[in-house]
Amino acid sequence: MSKMMFWEAIQRAYDEEMTNDSLVFCMGEDIGVAGGTYKATKGLYEKFGSERVMDTPISENGFTGLGIGASFLNVRPIIEIMSVNFSWLAMDQMFNTAAKVHFMSGGQLKAPIVVRSPGGTAHQLGAQHSARMEKVFMGIAGLRVVTPSNPRQAYGLLKSAVRCDDPVFIYEHELMYNMQGEVPDTEYFHPLIGSEIARPGGDITLFGYNISVHWCLQAAETLSKQHGIEAEVIDLYALSPLDREGIVQSVSKTHRAVIVEEAEPAVGVGAEVMAIINEECFYELDAPPVRVSAANVPIPYNHTLEKSVIPNAQDVTAAVLKVFGQ
Amino acid sequence: MNSDVKKRLLREMLFARRFEERCYEAYVERKIGGFLHLYPGEEACAHGVLEAANCGHDYVITSYRDHVHAIKCGVDPKAVMAELFAKEAGCCKGLGGSMHIFGVEHRFMGGYALVGGPFPLAAGIAKGIQMKKGNEICICFLGDAANNQGTFHESLNMAKLWNLPVLYVCENNLYGIGTRIDRSTAVVDQYKRVSSYNIPSNQVNGQDVELVYEAATQAIEHVRSGKGPYFLELMTYRFRGHSMSDSNAYRPKNEERVWGKRDPVIMFRDRLIETGEITQEDFKNMDNEILEEIEQEIIRFADESQEPSMELLDKYVLVENDPYVTGGSR
Ligand SMILES: Cc1ncc(C[n+]2csc(CCOP(=O)(O)OP(=O)(O)O)c2C)c(N)n1
Ligand SMILES: [Mg+2]
């Protein structure tokens, strides 16, 4: 194990996969000569050249479609969409083509693309640069959606996504690229399904993913130290398909659940996890599940207002205490 | 083009005409469901271009009006008809339908229903060819109205920028459903629109299969020799409505009459009769054979095929048993 930053972990996965297979290439805006907005592709242009590290024009739907077409020949593109807010423009090709072509061709074609995109609310980027769009991608059959909460996952998920024959969307967080974490020294492929117990506990389950895992972990510490409540934190790094079994297992143990998401509540991860709990283990519950979500508004520019609409660890702690009637 | 090739081409075009007309009837009989877009009137486009290509080697991609392109690429017409009948023996096992015919073993990369969707896919296939250092090209057939999508401009720009081996063929039938081209498009001559990307182009009579063949031969030679993308505009006309649900009430009768005289099958037949390469009798026999084959082999096959099983539903949503899904390795 060695410590590295989130962006370095991604860069290492690119480097290894492109070294391993000459048909892996990457594309995106400013990823080559400029080295990538968040440095995730730093040094690759110098090492692999312009044919495999392609600076694209600002044509999200076009270059995503181009990547999908290339993937029909089992050439493997890693497509970076500079910000998840811009991925709306690529959804036509991702949803209408990548997600459906294997099915509608009766299994004849595959679209083994990887699309990586940073999203979430950072620092005062305004309404059009603060979207959280995981809910949109995870609602579409035929796509895999994963989201790393630490450098180890960022590295291992990208490695598996490149080799997997399905189209995979990787949702990253703009605030997490400089986060440090342990990454195995040897090659590591992270599963694209399942979930991880980020912290074991017996009293309540906190479901998080991506940045909200960290809010959950922080809240769990406070709950343990100040309230004697042992929360289990489940990291839902796979958003589609969601880990039904893992969700049920934990809730059947703790009998209480709080789902924490950075996005607006409607049609989101929280709603989906609640539905699964309802369908699979309703009678295990000692209290109604609760979700902690963003306010249902576009993200404001003002710093104080911005912070107020996005949940944090204190909100998670408060929600848990409420579940326990405190 | 030698005489044998001409005779075969005539037969193929006539087959395409009869196949599509039979689809029309099958739709009326409710054996075919959903959207059905037919190709009569435009046969010389697919046949002229693909005759000049290396089918089975070159990649072909198109829109929802795709049966004839698939068959010319080598997809078995029985499998196409069975697909239209939504049967398991269909080329996509009944999961695709008329707008989504695929024949990947023949490098027919599919029909797609989103207008303009295949533009970037074709550029991507060409990128794949380039990375594999192959000498194939990708040929993308789309309609005139598709050129008003952003994907048209995005793809032409990238194809030129990266010198991709892709031939864009515009089947300009003057309409996008019921909207005539001059009511939707500022520049009516489509081949002129690509000059802003510095892509060479040509416009030819798409009703004359020999002219299409000649123009396509030049275009393909350009692309295959590594000179980058090319745009070929074929002036054509569809003899039926846009799809089966189209009233076809928006086209002036006079326009239909003029174009009706430019029937690509009849024009080519008459030329071959004139040169003495076939007789009226030969043509009649050819037609009867085709009608017989369609009825006795193709329709019967589609009729007798099984409905797809429910198990198919889960099979192709995601790739089955991919080891990397569980973090394993191959
Ligand atoms: C993105 C999108 N918008 C609208 C439609 C509906 N539609 C289907 S075909 C068509 C007209 C396309 O005309 P053209 O590209 O000229 O092809 P043609 O049908 O004439 O061969 C339209 C508007 C669609 N399928 N996809
Ligand atoms: Mg048209």
Side-chain angles (χ1 to χ4, degrees):
Chain A
M1 291 278 187
S2 47
K3 262 202 181 326
M4 61 173 73
M5 283 197 269
F6 200 96
W7 70 263
E8 291 173 310
I10 296 171
Q11 197 273 355
R12 178 177 149 197
Y14 268 103
D15 193 356
E16 286 178 10
E17 289 308 297
M18 292 182 69
T19 303
N20 171 65
D21 180 353
S22 63
L23 293 181
V24 175
F25 73 106
C26 55
M27 51 199 292
E29 294 158 21
D30 283 342
I31 68 158
V33 173
T37 311
Y38 296 96
K39 294 194 281 195
T41 50
K42 194 178 165 201
L44 298 177
Y45 182 85
E46 292 73 14
K47 185 162 175 184
F48 297 104
S50 61
E51 287 232 329
R52 292 179 66 198
V53 184
M54 305 177 81
D55 282 312
T56 62
I58 304 164
S59 308
E60 284 80 6
N61 202 38
F63 68 72
T64 301
L66 190 148
I68 294 167
S71 80
F72 291 171
L73 272 61
N74 207 21
V75 166
R76 299 200 171 222
I78 308 171
I79 302 163
E80 178 180 291
I81 296 183
M82 191 180 246
S83 153
V84 89
N85 300 268
F86 317 150
S87 69
W88 288 114
L89 285 91
M91 283 187 179
D92 161 39
Q93 287 295 340
M94 288 184 69
F95 296 171
N96 284 316
T97 312
K100 297 182 173 70
V101 76
H102 185 57
F103 187 87
M104 70 190 195
S105 68
Q108 292 185 63
L109 272 185
K110 294 172 187 161
I113 56 158
V114 180
V115 179
R116 295 179 39 245
S117 193
T121 301
H123 301 297
Q124 291 189 271
L125 301 185
Q128 292 188 331
H129 281 77
S130 305
R132 296 121 300 153
M133 285 169 46
E134 57 280 16
K135 63 169 74 180
V136 181
F137 290 94
M138 66 187 275
I140 307 297
L143 271 188
R144 291 187 182 279
V145 181
V146 294
T147 185
S149 66
N150 56 52
R152 174 180 54 85
Q153 289 181 355
Y155 165 75
L157 286 171
L158 179 52
K159 298 262 302 173
S160 298
V162 170
R163 304 235 185 157
C164 174
D165 282 343
D166 294 315
V168 182
F169 179 71
I170 307 182
Y171 178 66
E172 296 161 6
H173 202 288
E174 293 183 9
L175 291 180
M176 285 164 58
Y177 286 101
N178 289 333
M179 166 194 276
Q180 297 263 352
E182 301 278 355
V183 178
D185 293 324
T186 53
E187 195 171 42
Y188 165 65
F189 294 91
H190 196 289
L192 300 171
I193 54 172
S195 60
E196 277 177 359
I197 301 177
R199 179 193 196 277
D203 299 331
I204 187 166
T205 306
L206 308 181
F207 290 101
Y209 60 97
N210 190 301
I211 200 166
S212 70
V213 171
H214 301 282
W215 305 335
C216 292
L217 287 170
Q218 248 180 293
E221 283 306 302
T222 310
L223 289 163
S224 172
K225 287 206 185 100
Q226 297 178 15
H227 304 278
I229 295 171
E230 290 308 322
E232 175 148 293
V233 177
I234 301 286
D235 180 341
L236 298 170
Y237 59 80
L239 292 181
S240 182
L242 270 170
D243 182 17
R244 288 182 92 87
E245 274 167 48
I247 291 168
V248 172
Q249 231 169 46
S250 184
V251 173
S252 302
K253 183 173 86 177
T254 64
H255 311 291
R256 290 177 177 83
V258 171
I259 307 105
V260 187
E261 58 195 348
E262 196 195 6
E264 312 92 315
V267 211
V269 178
E272 198 52 40
V273 172
M274 276 192 187
I276 291 173
I277 293 171
N278 233 343
E279 287 160 3
E280 306 279 351
C281 56
F282 179 78
Y283 294 104
E284 290 287 347
L285 289 171
D286 285 347
V290 168
R291 52 186 169 169
V292 176
S293 319
N296 198 24
V297 297
I299 299 299
Y301 166 63
N302 174 273
H303 176 71
T304 311
L305 294 182
E306 177 182 66
K307 291 296 160 237
S308 78
V309 301
I310 296 296
N312 57 30
Q314 286 77 47
D315 296 330
V316 180
T317 307
V320 171
L321 293 177
K322 212 166 152 197
V323 170
F324 281 98
Q326 296 179 24
Chain B
M1 221 187 271
N2 71 35
S3 200
D4 286 343
V5 174
K6 285 188 204 164
K7 281 187 247 175
R8 175 175 50 74
L9 258 186
L10 177 64
R11 189 184 202 285
E12 287 175 2
M13 291 205 294
L14 181 59
F15 179 90
R17 174 68 56 88
R18 293 304 196 193
F19 185 94
E20 294 288 80
E21 286 173 343
R22 189 61 182 85
C23 289
Y24 181 99
E25 288 169 29
Y27 185 91
V28 174
E29 295 163 14
R30 295 181 177 275
K31 297 220 164 140
I32 298 176
F35 284 120
L36 179 67
H37 308 82
L38 301 173
Y39 203 57
E42 307 189 23
E43 291 89 348
C45 300
H47 284 92
V49 172
L50 293 175
E51 187 62 29
N54 187 351
C55 286
H57 178 71
D58 292 330
Y59 294 88
V60 175
I61 189 165
T62 188
S63 71
Y64 41 82
R65 204 179 295 284
D66 57 356
H67 315 162
V68 171
H69 304 77
I71 292 169
K72 177 67 179 160
C73 283
V75 183
D76 183 349
K78 293 204 285 294
V80 176
M81 192 62 85
E83 184 62 31
L84 303 180
F85 279 38
K87 299 295 184 70
E88 187 145 25
C91 51
C92 303
K93 304 187 166 68
L95 297 175
S98 165
M99 301 190 286
H100 307 302
I101 301 294
F102 285 78
V104 173
E105 64 172 313
H106 305 284
R107 300 202 164 165
F108 179 68
M109 306 303 271
Y112 297 79
L114 276 282
V115 171
F119 283 123
L121 299 174
I125 290 168
K127 168 72 184 169
I129 293 168
Q130 199 180 56
M131 283 191 71
K132 291 182 161 181
K133 305 196 182 346
N135 80 333
E136 305 92 337
I137 67 166
C138 182
I139 303 175
C140 176
F141 290 88
L142 286 177
D144 46 292
N147 298 347
N148 291 328
Q149 284 286 21
T151 49
F152 172 75
H153 299 277
E154 295 184 5
S155 303
L156 290 173
N157 180 47
M158 292 186 292
K160 182 65 188 180
L161 187 66
W162 297 324
N163 199 43
L164 300 175
V166 55
L167 168 60
Y168 288 108
V169 178
C170 176
E171 299 175 324
N172 186 350
N173 60 13
L174 309 179
Y175 287 84
I177 311 186
T179 305
R180 211 189 126 96
I181 188 163
D182 53 85
R183 297 187 57 243
S184 66
T185 309
V187 175
V188 167
D189 283 325
Q190 297 305 295
Y191 75 98
K192 290 182 183 164
R193 299 178 78 184
V194 306
S195 62
S196 63
Y197 300 102
N198 209 8
I199 292 176
S201 63
N202 193 2
Q203 182 189 52
V204 301
N205 174 1
Q207 303 308 83
D208 184 332
V209 71
E210 290 184 279
L211 289 181
V212 174
Y213 173 81
E214 265 173 45
T217 302
Q218 278 175 24
I220 288 169
E221 158 62 20
H222 173 94
V223 176
R224 208 187 299 284
S225 66
K227 295 192 189 121
Y230 192 97
F231 184 89
L232 180 59
E233 179 181 11
L234 306 176
M235 302 310 295
T236 187
Y237 204 73
R238 60 173 154 70
F239 289 169
R240 293 191 177 278
H242 167 74
S243 72
M244 293 297 287
S245 46
D246 178 18
S247 68
N248 202 17
Y250 43 80
R251 297 195 300 194
K253 288 286 153 269
N254 188 39
E255 180 185 286
E256 289 190 326
R257 215 173 309 116
V258 169
W259 279 94
K261 288 192 198 126
R262 302 177 189 154
D263 183 319
V265 181
I266 301 305
M267 275 167 45
F268 197 42
R269 176 199 68 183
D270 291 349
R271 188 178 302 161
L272 296 196
I273 290 174
E274 215 169 281
T275 56
E277 286 165 286
I278 61 164
T279 62
Q280 188 70 257
E281 185 73 12
D282 294 338
F283 186 80
K284 193 83 211 116
N285 291 340
M286 191 189 275
D287 196 16
N288 286 335
E289 272 168 35
I290 287 169
L291 291 170
E292 170 95 0
E293 180 192 344
I294 289 175
E295 221 43 54
Q296 296 310 316
E297 291 179 38
I298 295 170
I299 292 290
R300 178 179 291 179
F301 176 82
D303 256 333
E304 289 173 357
S305 309
Q306 302 288 308
E307 286 281 306
S309 76
M310 286 294 164
E311 274 122 66
L312 270 186
L313 272 181
D314 291 337
K315 211 170 152 60
Y316 302 119
V317 180
L318 294 164
V319 172
E320 278 188 312
N321 303 321
D322 188 302
Y324 287 99
V325 169
T326 49
S329 51
R330 259 182 257 266

